[in-house]
Amino acid sequence: QIEHIQAVRDIDAIISTEGIDGVIIGPYDLSGSMGYPGEYHREDVKVAIENVIAACKRKNIPSGFHVIESDPANLNQKIEQGCTFLAYSLDFFFLGDAARNGMNKVKRT
């Protein structure tokens, strides 16, 4: 799990370690380690994420990503970037989506 800026800095050594089959990036914790908890859309955090994905591509190591939001477009974006396995959102986002969708249906009737 790549969840700290130091892991980003050490990514080449990490993915060169015997037995490492892949890495998954945790953007929330990574942004926190950079001093911006939860601000994983900041340019410097995105660059750190892109550096990990690029390093994995160079070494032919699978990279994964935890997509926080429940928007499928974000999953597709990470697939297009080259991530080969994904963690998708969080239970409270899915519950919130369901509640909002249900309430919107109630309001329309």
Side-chain angles (χ1 to χ4, degrees):
Q1 290 181 291
I2 307 300
E3 297 185 327
H4 195 277
I5 191 60
Q6 193 60 49
V8 174
R9 293 180 187 126
D10 294 337
I11 191 62
D12 288 319
I14 291 169
I15 60 178
S16 295
T17 303
E18 187 176 334
I20 297 294
D21 295 321
V23 300
I24 187 165
I25 302 162
Y28 199 97
D29 289 338
L30 176 59
S31 66
S33 77
M34 296 174 73
Y36 313 106
E39 295 181 44
Y40 42 86
H41 296 295
R42 288 176 51 96
E43 193 59 33
D44 51 351
V45 178
K46 290 192 313 189
V47 167
I49 291 166
E50 290 166 6
N51 288 341
V52 171
I53 294 170
C56 289
K57 284 180 183 177
R58 285 192 305 274
K59 291 274 197 174
N60 201 28
I61 297 285
S63 62
F65 192 84
H66 181 191
V67 175
I68 305 294
E69 290 91 0
S70 57
D71 182 354
N74 293 330
L75 283 173
N76 287 328
Q77 178 189 37
K78 291 303 173 196
I79 292 167
E80 289 168 10
Q81 281 185 296
C83 292
T84 56
F85 59 99
L86 300 161
Y88 184 36
S89 199
L90 300 165
D91 56 354
F92 66 86
F93 280 127
F94 291 129
L95 290 170
D97 291 346
R100 278 187 294 283
N101 290 337
M103 291 308 296
N104 285 334
K105 288 178 184 177
V106 168
K107 289 177 186 178
R108 286 185 284 231
T109 58

